[in-house]
Amino acid sequence: MTVDTTKGYAEQSYGTINLRKYQVDAINFTLECLMGGKTPIIESPTGSGKTVISIISSILYAKKTGKRVLYLTRTNSQQDQILKELRILSGPLDFRAMALQGRSNLCPLYMEIEEESDFTLESLSKMCSSKKKRTKEKKEGGCYYYNGGISSDETRSYILKNMNSPEEIFETLRSRKICPYESLKFAMRDADLVVMPYANFVNSNMALTTLYNWRTSRENLVIIIDEAHNLPEIARQSNSLEITMNMINISEKEAVNFGDPEMQTGIHVSDFMETVRESLVELGRNLNENQGERRLMFREIFEEMSIYLKKSPQDVDYLVDALISFGAQVEDLKEEKGKVPMSHLKSLGEKLKFLQYAEYDRYICIISKKGEESVEAYCLDPSIVLEPLFKSASIHVSATLDPVWLYANMTGVQNYEFRSIRDVFPKSNLLVLYSGDLSTKYTEFNGEMVQAYADRIGDILSKNKRKTMVFFPSFNTMKLIGSKMQGTPHLIESQSMNQRDFQKLLNEYRETGLPILGVMGGRLSEGINMPGNLLEIEVIAGIPFPRPTIKQRALVSYYDMLYGSGWQYAFLFPAIIKVKQTMGRVIRTETDRGAVVLLDGRAEMLFPYIEAKLSTDINHDLELFFKNNT
Ligand code: SF4
């Protein structure tokens, strides 16, 4: 599509924000697409102002069409940065905005009555409805946070004017004995833009609640999908489920606590739990104790239960239904006692029901043994879940979306226009090299190769005294290679690190100048900001193609069947995303400069989506680059 930027949808500046030319072009492109009924997909590097581009274009479009803007983020913690931009832009663009999170984060009563995090979203909603009803009827056991304060002008204006984070709103309103969740729900009716996590809108029940609370419809929204490269996996996860031994054990305990009634002659709830447990053990019998997995037909689970119980498949069907009914009674009893009406039995029963009726062509069933057996229904096709999302106009933005045709086919987005914003930062500020003689491919990654990696990394670190991070495809690869780097002082990102330890690690890196070893797809490679010369060299030790698990092989077959290029969907796309995200740490501003060294000959498989120069003398090329750039 030819974009006529002379139409000039965007101004040059909004308040204190002065737009660069590429930002104005991107806003005009986005508006042109939306006005023409197309979906803009924008790839733009980190630090290029994607948030500002998305907010301005969506608000301008909303003002032209009378729509509202929903800004979807991957995590709750990303909301803070967006609220910061919204505060600046809301004046010049004249709009009201707020951020929302789920009830589990914003219900103070739940935190008072429940010591454990033992709930489903449905059970929290049920508890809240019942408490509110009691409050309205002036009965005992209501909720004292549910009062006139939630819909007062003062609360509404506090939320919409200040645009504070949900965490700050929670603390302030809780101290005033006003329900933060209900207050946000009320304020939402007057909001032009709402920020919320993907998960809350990808789930169709939660989406319907959001639309109702906002008093709007899908057709009346324009949705910004931030960090959109995550969308396929988040949708897959939200539509997949797992039954673990722990769930069966907790459900059995609940059955006993609530009287363990007979479901059919001679079969108590606990007997049925035993049946589910033993069936999984039987199905997983020949699996490797450590991480073994096997693909099953969904019906095998129920056949096994039928054999164990010596009952017909219809009887098993009946028992699953009876389990759900008993779970519903448990919920009622808990509610009567003033507890969150959550039943593990009901939740387990519903999962079993799902397995019985899963669409066999779009899901696979896997039994695995990681210590104990578990069974999983894995959704192959995220486009099923995402279909309703695209009833709204949408803007997809990320630093890594190309190959866009893979992204579009996986998500199901249609009628799109793609714009990749390159050259935001001077090209000469980034050097990308690759080495052709190393590989972490599992058929080549033997003891010799591990040593070769350790030697090469050690050589780069000792000869280039610059701020360096080394990224590996997995913790396991990092452990193997790291163990051979004893002579090279370094810091390590650990898998079990909490936020405080992680901050400590970053501080140590800044203070000591020691290199850090980390993994791609982790906190270090995707969640940090290292402007200036805080990160000068990034070594990527191996291309992070996913392991050829049952899931990945099933994805290959599925997309082979649909488009004839399954490998690209299951292996290439995830690898490109991880490498590009990791590379995005190096250059964050116009004045940053740095180098990326890809230590894996398979870097060529990522061309043309990643540009890199073959180097036979990495240290020489690095020295030359930094000499010419000082
Ligand atoms: Fe929780 Fe608010 Fe509902 Fe009370 S009204 S139960 S505080 S969400």
Side-chain angles (χ1 to χ4, degrees):
M1 184 172 73
T2 320
V3 179
D4 181 4
T5 51
T6 56
K7 282 195 177 173
Y9 288 117
E11 309 276 337
Q12 284 301 322
S13 63
Y14 292 88
T16 55
I17 295 187
N18 290 314
L19 296 179
R20 308 240 174 87
K21 182 173 179 313
Y22 73 83
Q23 291 175 317
V24 173
D25 287 349
I27 293 167
N28 287 336
F29 164 77
T30 307
L31 276 158
E32 193 80 8
C33 286
L34 292 171
M35 297 305 284
K38 297 200 168 197
T39 301
I41 301 183
I42 303 165
E43 184 183 76
S44 188
T46 314
S48 60
K50 290 191 291 293
T51 310
V52 168
I53 293 170
S54 315
I55 295 171
I56 296 176
S57 36
S58 60
I59 288 289
L60 292 179
Y61 176 65
K63 284 190 179 288
K64 278 177 189 292
T65 55
K67 295 191 183 203
R68 287 167 156 187
V69 183
L70 178 62
Y71 197 125
L72 296 182
T73 60
R74 188 167 64 89
T75 60
N76 285 332
S77 57
Q78 285 168 330
Q79 293 184 332
D80 285 353
Q81 184 54 35
I82 291 150
L83 286 167
K84 216 162 120 188
E85 310 276 14
L86 288 171
R87 271 179 228 122
I88 301 170
L89 289 168
S90 61
L93 281 164
D94 185 26
F95 65 87
R96 287 158 300 180
M98 54 170 262
L100 188 65
Q101 293 178 8
R103 206 185 252 107
S104 55
N105 288 352
L106 295 170
C107 167
L109 191 71
Y110 158 70
M111 292 171 195
E112 283 169 22
I113 62 176
E114 208 73 14
E115 302 90 49
E116 304 159 25
S117 301
D118 202 9
F119 65 88
T120 56
L121 298 172
E122 190 197 349
S123 63
L124 274 192
S125 161
K126 199 171 161 192
M127 176 199 83
C128 178
S129 303
S130 141
K131 297 273 176 197
K132 288 191 295 193
K133 189 162 174 263
R134 286 181 166 274
T135 307
K136 278 185 211 156
E137 290 169 356
K138 298 194 173 34
K139 286 187 181 159
E140 256 185 52
C143 174
Y144 46 85
Y145 292 101
Y146 187 64
N147 52 48
I150 60 173
S151 55
S152 73
D153 288 345
E154 193 190 344
T155 307
R156 193 167 50 236
S157 126
Y158 159 70
I159 291 172
L160 293 172
K161 276 202 182 135
N162 299 347
M163 294 180 207
N164 287 331
S165 69
E167 289 81 5
E168 285 170 285
I169 292 173
F170 177 82
E171 289 306 335
T172 305
L173 294 185
R174 178 167 71 163
S175 68
R176 295 181 195 166
K177 293 275 177 275
I178 299 170
C179 171
Y181 181 75
E182 292 293 325
S183 302
L184 283 163
K185 255 171 66 178
F186 260 95
M188 199 175 175
R189 295 180 193 180
D190 292 327
D192 303 299
L193 185 152
V194 171
V195 188
M196 68 193 296
Y198 288 175
N200 293 18
F201 207 74
V202 168
N203 175 307
S204 54
N205 285 340
M206 289 170 82
L208 289 177
T209 307
T210 303
L211 293 168
Y212 174 76
N213 290 338
W214 208 354
R215 304 291 190 264
T216 191
S217 63
R218 288 191 186 272
E219 290 71 20
N220 199 38
L221 285 185
V222 53
I223 303 178
I224 299 167
I225 302 171
D226 197 13
E227 302 292 345
H229 61 276
N230 294 299
L231 190 62
E233 203 42 46
I234 286 184
R236 255 189 209 116
Q237 278 167 15
S238 83
N239 231 31
S240 299
L241 64 82
E242 191 178 26
I243 296 178
T244 63
M245 280 297 173
N246 189 38
M247 285 174 192
I248 300 167
N249 297 340
I250 295 175
S251 301
E252 186 174 27
K253 212 165 136 194
E254 184 179 286
V256 173
N257 286 344
F258 284 86
D260 194 15
E262 205 172 38
M263 303 162 85
Q264 232 181 36
T265 318
I267 303 175
H268 289 257
V269 181
S270 58
D271 299 324
F272 190 51
M273 292 300 94
E274 184 65 18
T275 306
V276 181
R277 184 187 297 115
E278 286 305 312
S279 301
L280 295 198
V281 170
E282 187 54 39
L283 290 166
R285 188 163 297 285
N286 295 321
L287 291 178
N288 177 342
E289 271 298 324
N290 187 21
Q291 305 261 322
E293 56 179 20
R294 172 167 88 81
R295 191 162 165 184
L296 288 182
M297 301 298 290
F298 285 99
R299 63 177 158 71
E300 286 180 65
I301 302 166
F302 300 94
E303 285 169 2
E304 199 57 52
M305 283 159 59
S306 181
I307 294 166
Y308 185 86
L309 283 168
K310 299 191 182 68
K311 294 276 180 189
S312 69
Q314 287 78 4
D315 282 331
V316 174
D317 244 25
Y318 167 81
L319 287 166
V320 172
D321 287 339
L323 188 69
I324 296 171
S325 313
F326 179 56
Q329 288 172 32
V330 169
E331 285 186 350
D332 292 344
L333 289 167
K334 280 190 166 179
E335 192 176 340
E336 276 170 28
K337 287 183 185 165
K339 294 282 203 186
V340 177
M342 154 70 191
S343 164
H344 294 282
L345 290 162
K346 185 167 168 229
S347 164
L348 179 63
E350 285 170 346
K351 284 182 176 171
L352 287 168
K353 198 94 207 154
F354 184 92
L355 295 183
Q356 276 181 309
Y357 295 102
E359 289 174 66
Y360 300 126
D361 52 341
R362 290 181 168 190
Y363 286 85
I364 55 163
C365 183
I366 303 167
I367 176 117
S368 53
K369 209 168 186 174
K370 294 167 201 152
E372 288 187 311
E373 293 78 1
S374 63
V375 69
E376 183 180 1
Y378 179 67
C379 171
L380 295 172
D381 193 343
S383 70
I384 326 166
V385 198
L386 296 172
E387 208 181 319
L389 197 71
F390 301 135
K391 285 190 182 152
S392 309
S394 55
I395 304 169
H396 303 236
V397 279
S398 165
T400 47
L401 282 174
D402 208 14
V404 68
W405 52 274
L406 285 175
Y407 173 79
N409 285 341
M410 271 193 280
T411 54
V413 62
Q414 286 171 354
N415 198 16
Y416 66 88
E417 285 288 333
F418 179 57
R419 167 71 60 98
S420 179
I421 303 173
R422 294 169 198 263
D423 305 332
V424 170
F425 308 124
K427 230 178 166 174
S428 57
N429 284 5
L430 178 69
L431 174 73
V432 186
L433 302 171
Y434 78 99
S435 222
D437 58 337
L438 298 173
S439 173
T440 52
K441 189 177 180 185
Y442 66 105
T443 49
E444 295 173 36
F445 197 59
N446 51 23
E448 232 171 87
M449 187 61 84
V450 170
Q451 189 61 55
Y453 264 104
D455 293 346
R456 187 74 53 86
I457 297 166
D459 192 41
I460 295 171
L461 295 176
S462 63
K463 297 208 172 112
N464 296 274
K465 297 289 180 205
R466 295 188 177 273
K467 293 272 191 190
T468 305
M469 291 189 182
V470 186
F471 292 101
F472 298 85
S474 68
F475 280 102
N476 201 26
T477 315
M478 178 171 87
K479 211 167 130 195
L480 284 169
I481 298 174
S483 68
K484 306 275 177 200
M485 290 174 52
Q486 311 291 4
T488 312
H490 58 265
L491 307 167
I492 292 189
E493 176 190 19
S494 115
Q495 201 162 6
S496 54
M497 237 170 207
N498 59 28
Q499 191 54 27
R500 222 181 39 214
D501 294 340
F502 184 67
Q503 272 313 324
K504 224 169 111 189
L505 175 78
L506 290 181
N507 292 341
E508 219 177 325
Y509 167 77
R510 286 192 188 100
E511 285 159 18
T512 63
L514 286 173
I516 309 188
L517 312 192
V519 295
M520 280 172 271
R523 259 187 297 185
L524 197 60
S525 67
E526 295 196 9
I528 56 155
N529 209 352
M530 288 277 156
N533 63 357
L534 280 172
L535 177 58
E536 295 171 286
I537 300 177
E538 200 179 67
V539 177
I540 294 185
I543 304 299
F545 288 112
R547 287 194 310 120
T549 56
I550 289 179
K551 282 180 193 167
Q552 296 311 121
R553 288 200 296 264
L555 286 173
V556 171
S557 309
Y558 184 73
Y559 285 110
D560 262 344
M561 186 182 73
L562 288 183
Y563 307 110
S565 50
W567 182 84
Q568 294 180 312
Y569 289 83
F571 290 95
L572 183 67
F573 188 71
I576 290 176
I577 299 289
K578 276 192 181 171
V579 170
K580 277 170 96 173
Q581 282 291 325
T582 307
M583 287 171 65
R585 302 304 101 194
V586 182
I587 305 288
R588 314 285 287 193
T589 69
E590 257 177 276
T591 53
D592 287 0
R593 68 178 205 288
V596 176
V597 180
L598 293 154
L599 294 181
D600 196 325
R602 294 175 301 162
E604 289 175 2
M605 294 163 92
L606 312 186
F607 295 172
Y609 305 106
I610 285 166
E611 290 172 27
K613 196 178 100 188
L614 180 66
S615 171
T616 49
D617 190 344
I618 302 271
N619 289 328
H620 173 261
D621 290 345
L622 287 174
E623 193 190 339
L624 213 66
F625 170 74
F626 284 108
K627 207 160 98 188
N628 292 338
N629 271 280
T630 39

